[in-house]
Amino acid sequence: TLACHRIISEVKSGKSLPQAFQMESIFSDDIRNSVAMGDQSGNLPTFLGRSADLLKAQINSSVEKVSRAVPVMIYWSVVI
């Protein structure tokens, strides 16, 4: 995405990874905070892995909710 390209460019120009992420509003506060904490602690992969797991869970939950709603919407569009 464009945000990723901008982050790479900012890091190449001398900004820290957390600083570059803070400039991108496309990422949630949770992601930006994970990058900052992971960078500070030296455990960036661990923090990003946890964030990825959280995002996967949120996406799966959203997909599940939509999957349950679509048949109901189709039913009501046919009935009405």
Side-chain angles (χ1 to χ4, degrees):
T1 67
L2 292 175
C4 292
H5 290 290
R6 286 191 298 264
I7 288 171
I8 291 168
S9 177
E10 292 295 326
V11 170
K12 284 182 178 179
S13 72
K15 287 199 170 150
S16 70
L17 189 60
Q19 287 173 326
F21 264 83
Q22 289 298 329
M23 298 172 64
E24 297 297 333
S25 62
I26 192 169
F27 297 105
S28 69
D29 288 340
D30 290 338
I31 299 296
R32 292 193 301 254
N33 290 335
S34 289
V35 170
M37 289 186 295
D39 187 61
Q40 289 172 357
S41 68
N43 291 318
L44 186 59
T46 300
F47 278 86
L48 291 180
R50 289 179 189 159
S51 292
D53 291 342
L54 178 63
L55 286 173
K56 284 181 204 173
Q58 290 172 345
I59 289 168
N60 287 338
S61 175
S62 296
V63 168
E64 189 176 309
K65 288 175 186 174
V66 169
S67 297
R68 285 186 293 215
V70 168
V72 173
M73 292 186 304
I74 292 171
Y75 172 79
W76 285 109
S77 67
V78 171
V79 171
I80 297 177

